[in-house]
Amino acid sequence: MATIKDIAKRAGVSVTTVSRALNGYSDVNEQTRKKIMAVAKELNYSPNTLARGLVMNKSNTLGLLVSGMSKESVKDNFTYLVLAGINQYAGETDYDIVLFSTNSTKQREKTYSQLCRERRVDGAIIQGIRTDDPYLHEVIESDIPCVLIDISVESDTVGYVTTDNIMGAKKAVQHLVELGHRDIAMINGHDFAFVSQKRLEGYKLGLKIAGIPFRSDWVVKGFFEEAEAEKAAWNLLENHPEITAIFCASDLMAFGAMSAAKKRGLRVPEDLSIVGYDDILLASYSNPPLTTIAQDVSRLGYHASKLLVEMLEGRAESHNVILDTALVNRSSTAKRRPLK
Amino acid sequence: MATIKDIAKRAGVSVTTVSRALNGYSDVNEQTRKKIMAVAKELNYSPNTLARGLVMNKSNTLGLLVSGMSKESVKDNFTYLVLAGINQYAGETDYDIVLFSTNSTKQREKTYSQLCRERRVDGAIIQGIRTDDPYLHEVIESDIPCVLIDISVESDTVGYVTTDNIMGAKKAVQHLVELGHRDIAMINGHDFAFVSQKRLEGYKLGLKIAGIPFRSDWVVKGFFEEAEAEKAAWNLLENHPEITAIFCASDLMAFGAMSAAKKRGLRVPEDLSIVGYDDILLASYSNPPLTTIAQDVSRLGYHASKLLVEMLEGRAESHNVILDTALVNRSSTAKRRPLK
DNA sequence: TTGAAAGCGCTAACAC
DNA sequence: GTGTTAGCGCTTTCAA
């Protein structure tokens, strides 16, 4: 593979000149530049980014730490959409994406920051990692610039992008309240997801605004899984038959709740209203189609990489971006039945 | 960031010794190795893969060229599943994945092989690229080891992994024939997809075995898109009302065909049987649930990276792998109505 | 406008 | 077992 040395030799100049010509410096004679360009093309030259990265101490790569990039997550497509957004932005820049496979068992040997440091990525985007992951804090506390998705931590080198989860959850509750519901339960994810904490806050806020007392035993965990949520919903409905609506912190969990309702002989939405969160593709295919809080996940990815690059280039005005959500009103919610 | 030089100084040895100790060479004293390891840990040392790659002429990265990694492809999830499979295998090895964003407009400036050469990837995986893409051939003809997904080209440096598309399509036709159908049309993708060519072959083969003459005007293009397929199916049904079954080269196109049928007042499967291809998530959610030819897309990705790594390490016994497909019998196909 | 030379962090002969 | 040295391909002072 041709190097600048080869070009220099062939063009009869020094490597310095070649380097400068190729990088578009102005202090190169137009004649020599032309010549050098021609030779470079002739030799089918490609710059060696490894060598450049070594000397410049900059690799022009963004590390991507994702967890849960598995076959199973096709249902919610979250990881994929984030990636698509990142990829879209990266395509507009000179950065390439290095994917670190953190979901395998053997990766436990290497910490996230280890991975980033070895590859000398300029920055990292972190997604899908639980807040109790010890390696998460290690990378946050390292000096590697990074942007977190859906984890609101901020510092000199750390930024984040997320959606407004409090308002999102509030919207869901508000929608139910407007339909006349007052006995509204919640199926949340788990304690180690920031979004769960925020959505719980939003749920509480929604209740408060409506003057409905909060009951902690009406909030159960579904761990973002359909089957878990189904169990949780079953118990909820068994123990508290007065419940007429459930707000679920993810669409998948809403599907679980729907199944539980059906198995208990409750009709959705006539007997039980259900609101989901995410607006995944399947939300419009369920029976009944799911009313949910929509978030634009690929924008999340897009803005994550955009923010990171801006941070790297020292032109980030703020270290966080909060995206909006929207209520999508389908058919899993209805007016509360008149009380008997 | 600490370098082996720092370690050498601190440990009172030469950089060579450090290098050897760190890389597990045997010709280093246990005492010194211990010492070096300790110092390395103390200094929180991370090897610089850029420097190593430069001297070893090996980056331990696999380039990934995908097209169509956009928001739109959540419906079929093909790209994502390939990626998940690749990622899974990569997690079992020392290779990391570099994602090249080829779907953006500005990328046209750089060819695929350009991208690979600059990053000095050890090999590349290519997916979702049309066979008439000029850059595809450039990279195939370069000396970069690569594995193609669903494009059967093979050489010293090129391998491929795909499913048995001929047999897959044949199975679909055979299934319809067994249900009594003889007037079977096909909605194919487009001419620049290898899978389309193969599936057409399989369709022909299936007909031949059943002794049914092939009619070229019963094969139309849907370009792998739902809307296009709907139009195509409409015309097909309009011009040839005797058709009782359609084999579609993708599930998405099958959905399009279903819509067309419904709009024309035909019931699926009573009046028209439809078979898809892929077995995407939505296939089981459609109405009626879609009978289709299933392929395990993440295995495609897994085997692509596995094959590539084997080729790189000179232990690939063959340069291709062909995966199996399976008929998934749902409810979009039924026995042909008795003729009036 | 150009070139010589140093050096980025690492590996690998080759000598001792 | 260990150290000396050269060199991977590039950028960047500094001097001419």
Side-chain angles (χ1 to χ4, degrees):
Chain A
M1 218 168 265
T3 70
I4 53 169
K5 212 164 159 185
D6 300 323
I7 300 178
K9 205 174 295 174
R10 180 84 70 111
V13 294
S14 74
V15 292
T16 315
T17 309
V18 174
S19 174
R20 278 192 292 233
L22 258 27
N23 289 305
Y25 280 54
S26 57
D27 60 348
V28 169
N29 184 295
E30 254 327 298
Q31 290 303 313
T32 35
R33 155 167 282 126
K34 285 256 171 65
K35 173 79 181 163
I36 287 169
M37 290 307 206
V39 174
K41 184 159 222 171
E42 184 190 340
L43 263 36
N44 194 17
Y45 171 77
S46 286
N48 185 331
T49 55
L50 265 43
R52 176 182 286 158
L54 180 59
V55 53
M56 309 255 293
N57 204 23
K58 178 158 187 357
S59 64
N60 267 277
T61 53
L62 267 25
L64 187 52
L65 296 164
V66 293
S67 153
M69 190 159 85
S70 66
K71 223 167 131 173
E72 285 70 44
S73 65
V74 289
K75 276 205 167 183
D76 66 19
N77 266 312
F78 198 96
T79 306
Y80 174 72
L81 286 169
V82 167
L83 195 56
I86 292 173
N87 185 54
Q88 190 196 340
Y89 183 77
E92 301 170 10
T93 71
D94 279 333
Y95 290 87
D96 286 320
I97 303 296
V98 178
L99 212 65
F100 292 116
S101 354
T102 63
N103 48 349
S104 111
T105 46
K106 78 125 221 226
Q107 289 305 134
R108 292 278 153 239
E109 296 166 15
K110 276 180 190 170
T111 70
Y112 302 148
S113 66
Q114 198 71 239
L115 252 16
C116 291
R117 292 155 48 108
E118 291 192 2
R119 287 280 175 207
R120 290 301 194 269
V121 299
D122 298 328
I125 296 172
I126 303 178
Q127 189 263 315
I129 284 163
R130 288 166 56 116
T131 57
D132 60 338
D133 187 322
Y135 293 155
L136 171 65
H137 297 284
E138 195 214 341
V139 57
I140 289 176
E141 275 147 29
S142 77
D143 52 357
I144 302 162
C146 57
V147 168
L148 309 172
I149 291 181
D150 275 343
I151 298 184
S152 56
V153 173
E154 198 172 345
S155 79
D156 230 36
T157 56
V158 179
Y160 70 91
V161 6
T162 186
T163 49
D164 193 335
N165 287 289
I166 296 183
M167 289 310 282
K170 199 197 95 187
K171 279 179 201 167
V173 172
Q174 222 152 24
H175 169 67
L176 292 168
V177 167
E178 281 163 11
L179 290 170
H181 295 276
R182 297 190 62 82
D183 299 305
I184 304 168
M186 173 176 186
I187 300 182
N188 207 348
H190 54 67
D191 294 340
F192 303 106
F194 265 89
V195 296
S196 290
Q197 300 171 19
K198 294 297 179 186
R199 288 172 199 172
L200 176 59
E201 266 187 64
Y203 166 75
K204 286 183 183 171
L205 181 60
L207 292 181
K208 190 173 177 188
I209 291 172
I212 302 169
F214 167 72
R215 298 157 152 249
S216 62
D217 56 331
W218 280 26
V219 176
V220 297
K221 280 172 215 151
F223 302 95
F224 295 113
E225 282 174 26
E226 200 170 336
E228 286 294 332
E230 183 175 335
K231 278 189 240 165
W234 177 279
N235 292 334
L236 212 45
L237 295 169
E238 172 102 355
N239 299 328
H240 310 287
E242 64 272 36
I243 290 172
T244 63
I246 303 181
F247 163 53
C248 301
S250 82
D251 288 348
L252 248 26
M253 293 196 292
F255 293 156
M258 270 194 198
S259 303
K262 278 178 202 163
K263 287 186 185 163
R264 295 187 59 83
L266 295 174
R267 292 163 304 164
V268 176
E270 293 83 354
D271 303 323
L272 183 72
S273 283
I274 294 180
V275 181
Y277 205 109
D278 284 343
D279 193 25
I280 64 177
L281 177 65
L282 288 180
S284 54
Y285 288 83
S286 66
N287 182 18
L290 187 68
T291 294
T292 189
I293 304 297
Q295 52 177 338
D296 188 337
V297 180
S298 73
R299 280 189 74 210
L300 224 43
Y302 185 89
H303 282 282
S305 40
K306 186 160 181 285
L307 174 58
L308 182 55
V309 169
E310 285 169 355
M311 282 168 58
L312 292 178
E313 298 177 353
R315 52 186 175 78
E317 296 178 356
S318 141
H319 280 196
N320 69 69
V321 3
I322 318 278
L323 301 177
D324 240 356
T325 58
L327 174 78
V328 178
N329 198 345
R330 295 204 181 89
S331 317
S332 64
T333 50
K335 276 218 174 110
R336 170 176 202 162
R337 287 169 310 187
L339 294 171
K340 316 164 204 182
Chain B
M1 218 168 264
T3 70
I4 54 168
K5 212 164 160 184
D6 300 323
I7 298 178
K9 206 174 295 173
R10 180 83 70 113
V13 293
S14 75
V15 292
T16 317
T17 308
V18 175
S19 175
R20 280 192 291 233
L22 258 27
N23 289 305
Y25 281 56
S26 56
D27 61 346
V28 67
N29 185 295
E30 254 327 299
Q31 291 303 313
T32 34
R33 154 167 281 127
K34 286 254 171 63
K35 174 79 183 164
I36 288 169
M37 292 306 206
V39 174
K41 184 159 221 173
E42 184 190 341
L43 263 37
N44 193 17
Y45 171 76
S46 287
N48 185 333
T49 55
L50 267 43
R52 175 182 286 158
L54 181 58
V55 54
M56 308 257 290
N57 205 23
K58 178 156 186 359
S59 63
N60 266 278
T61 52
L62 267 25
L64 188 52
L65 297 165
V66 292
S67 153
M69 188 158 87
S70 67
K71 224 167 131 172
E72 285 70 42
S73 65
V74 289
K75 276 204 167 184
D76 66 20
N77 266 311
F78 198 95
T79 306
Y80 174 71
L81 287 168
V82 167
L83 195 56
I86 292 173
N87 186 52
Q88 191 196 340
Y89 182 77
E92 300 170 10
T93 71
D94 279 333
Y95 291 87
D96 285 320
I97 304 296
V98 177
L99 212 65
F100 293 116
S101 354
T102 63
N103 49 348
S104 109
T105 47
K106 78 122 219 225
Q107 290 305 136
R108 292 277 155 242
E109 296 166 15
K110 277 182 190 169
T111 69
Y112 302 147
S113 67
Q114 197 72 239
L115 253 13
C116 291
R117 291 153 50 107
E118 291 192 2
R119 287 280 175 207
R120 291 302 194 269
V121 299
D122 297 328
I125 297 173
I126 304 179
Q127 188 264 315
I129 285 164
R130 288 166 57 117
T131 57
D132 60 340
D133 187 322
Y135 293 155
L136 171 64
H137 297 284
E138 194 214 345
V139 58
I140 288 177
E141 276 148 28
S142 77
D143 52 359
I144 302 162
C146 58
V147 167
L148 310 172
I149 290 181
D150 275 344
I151 299 183
S152 56
V153 173
E154 198 172 345
S155 78
D156 229 35
T157 56
V158 179
Y160 70 92
V161 5
T162 186
T163 49
D164 193 335
N165 287 288
I166 296 182
M167 289 310 284
K170 199 197 95 187
K171 278 178 201 168
V173 173
Q174 221 152 26
H175 169 67
L176 292 168
V177 167
E178 279 163 12
L179 290 170
H181 295 276
R182 297 190 62 83
D183 298 304
I184 305 168
M186 174 176 185
I187 300 182
N188 208 349
H190 55 66
D191 295 339
F192 304 106
F194 265 87
V195 296
S196 290
Q197 299 170 20
K198 294 297 177 186
R199 288 172 198 172
L200 177 60
E201 266 186 64
Y203 165 76
K204 286 181 181 172
L205 180 61
L207 292 181
K208 192 173 176 191
I209 291 172
I212 302 170
F214 168 72
R215 298 154 150 255
S216 61
D217 56 331
W218 280 24
V219 176
V220 296
K221 279 172 217 153
F223 303 95
F224 295 113
E225 281 174 27
E226 200 169 338
E228 285 294 333
E230 183 175 335
K231 279 190 240 165
W234 177 279
N235 292 334
L236 212 47
L237 295 169
E238 171 104 355
N239 301 326
H240 310 286
E242 64 273 34
I243 289 171
T244 63
I246 304 182
F247 163 53
C248 302
S250 83
D251 287 348
L252 248 26
M253 293 197 292
F255 293 157
M258 269 192 198
S259 302
K262 276 178 203 163
K263 286 185 186 163
R264 294 187 58 82
L266 295 174
R267 292 164 304 164
V268 177
E270 293 83 355
D271 303 323
L272 182 73
S273 284
I274 294 180
V275 180
Y277 205 108
D278 285 342
D279 194 25
I280 64 176
L281 178 64
L282 288 180
S284 55
Y285 286 83
S286 66
N287 181 20
L290 187 67
T291 294
T292 188
I293 303 297
Q295 51 177 337
D296 188 337
V297 179
S298 74
R299 279 189 73 211
L300 224 44
Y302 185 89
H303 282 282
S305 40
K306 186 161 181 284
L307 174 57
L308 181 55
V309 169
E310 285 169 355
M311 283 168 56
L312 292 178
E313 297 178 352
R315 52 185 175 78
E317 296 177 357
S318 140
H319 279 195
N320 69 69
V321 2
I322 317 280
L323 301 176
D324 241 356
T325 59
L327 174 77
V328 178
N329 199 345
R330 295 203 181 91
S331 317
S332 63
T333 51
K335 275 216 173 113
R336 167 174 205 166
R337 288 170 310 189
L339 295 170
K340 318 166 205 186

